[in-house]
Amino acid sequence: MSDVSALLQASVLRNLSDKLYEKRKIAALEVEGVLKSLVSSGDHEKISSVISILINDYALSPQANHRKGGLIGLAAATVGLASESAQYLDRIVPPVLISFTDQDSRVRYYACEALYNIAKVSRGDLIVFFNKIFDALCKLSADSDPNVQSAAHLLDRLVKDIVTESDQFSIEEFIPLLRERMNVLNPFVRQFLVGWITVLDSVPDIDMLEFLPDFLDGLFNMLSDNSHEIRQQADSALSEFLQEIKNAPSVDYVRMAAILVQRARSPDEFTRLTSITWMSEFVKLGGDQLVTFYAEILGAILPAISDKEEKIRAVARETNEELRAIRAEPVEVIDIGSVLNAARRELGSEFEATRLEALRWMLVLLERHRTEVLSFLDEIFPALLQSLSDESDDVVLLVLEVQACIARDTQQFRRLMVFLVHKFQMDNLLLERRGTLALRRLCVLLDAETVYRELATILEGEADLEFATVMVQALNLILLTASELADLRALLKESLTNSQGKDLFVALYSSWCHSPMATVSLCLLAQAYHHASAVIQSLGESDINVKFLVQVDKLVRLLETPIFGYLRLQLLEPARYPSLLKTLYGLLMLLPQQSSAFKILRTRLKTIPAYAPMHIQATPAAELAGLNAGRRSVSAVPYLSHYPTGDDGDKVSDLNSGPGGINFTMRLQQFELMQHQHRLHRQAVQSQLSKPPKKPASQVRNLSSRWW
């Protein structure tokens, strides 16, 4: 201490702790002079002693004025040391850094001033303290005192200059510190961080692009800052990095894509737009590298297709097309299950455009990776069936296209039909709202005959008789009215003369027996008029109820449509088609006389020509084969007895039970057996309903009369 006292006069030591800045400054100049003389003499021991006094007695003193003097003294000492300062920086700099957190704002201010002067002298030698200085400046940038902030900004600019000209700066050591600070919300700190990122990126020898994934999320987070200036700075930095990515030979797309996917779901519109724009560029530039990340990208792109902002929607659609155009090889690199799951999730989106794109992705995957997709069928099939209830017809049509694509394999076709019938069974409203659309579309996408044969096979053994009736009525209505099934109707019209038509008639007949009027209409379509009449006469009293009469009413109205134009023309030859007349009169007798259908049919029958021979001729016994004994007399319809039953089309075709023909006797027995099962079922239901319930009775299914 005595040696130091000899070097630093008492007045100098006293002035270093004076409350007046001017006195402290004069003392600091004295310290600078002393250090210069010591450097000249090479007395490092005394230099070290002076520095120790400045640190221990002043810079680390509990007295604020002492700390201020110590800081200005350390800066002056560094100036005095000049080129020799490097070997003392490890002692000089730490107490200055400690002062950055001092409770006294003036001490913090003088710490900035001191380090500024130290940095001017030491320049590149200060780099070893860079991370600590950066951390201190990061905190000071948000200091509550504007003077401290101003001083910190001056120091910050000097440190940036030093770093940009230094070849000792370690970006690898700095990045973890930067990453740790990137999620700070303080606007001053954010400006500070963006400024450093921009400066470092401008240094040719520093490859910030390599470390971009470490701080990219933080930059995106700043895009939603309340400060317009910060948003603008972050956007500018991101734009510069994106341009560098376009020109870079190698980029870690996957790691950054994971960040973009998260930011694409941001509530901030500008953040979403920027992230989707980046993803679009990534897909264009490094699509092949992103194959393993397809599912995550797709999960971000599909919702963006329906974004409320048009710019985002446009970029998302473009990105979606780019992603879909990429064909990755080998297929093993693609996680088909994850991609399918991403598309499946979006089937529940509230936006139609997103649901449509999700379905289109399923189609693309089926076309390119069919085997792999089918292995995940259990996971996607329930969602596809649920989408049949979608309010959008376009979505439903695309769902059916996906299902039809799946059903190209025989095994999957059977599975689809079973799933579809089960879905209709569980949701009667779906059958009403989408049944016609779904079935007609499947008949177009798949083979109509194959579809109807398979559905008939499934419904033939359906235990739920009420549902089977409704389903058959729906299928029959589509068969009779849909333009897509014109070929199928043409084939059925040849059932009595064509083996293929006969096979189809027989295949449908078993399940059509669930509904009497569906059976009658099938016979009318096949021109099996005699059998149609037999079916009508086989009906019992319990079969004729309100629902039945509704179906008769609908059949009568259908007879007036173009589909049955051939039948109405055949009425011009009543002698040739007596069973047709008998069938129509049978329908007439079932209808209430005051109903509109009764009047329609009666009017039609009145137009039949009356020029046929009026003598009565009995119908041959062969024509009545298969009818119940109590219903074989034609006297129930006297008008029919006016027409002879010669060797006509009705007799030749309808009664053909020989080899290769249709055994109508057996078909009638089949129909009667099915109707008997329905009667027993209705009786059981009525019996159950008539019992007083011990607890609230379950609701009986309300089957809609829209289908028959």
Side-chain angles (χ1 to χ4, degrees), residues 478-514:
I478 296 169
L479 175 64
L480 295 177
T481 59
S483 58
E484 297 89 343
L485 274 69
D487 291 341
L488 207 60
R489 290 194 294 272
L491 184 60
L492 283 169
K493 287 178 184 178
E494 300 176 356
S495 297
L496 304 180
T497 58
N498 181 293
S499 60
Q500 187 177 356
K502 180 207 73 172
D503 291 342
L504 177 60
F505 178 88
V506 172
L508 300 183
Y509 189 91
S510 298
S511 57
W512 257 239
C513 287
H514 283 292

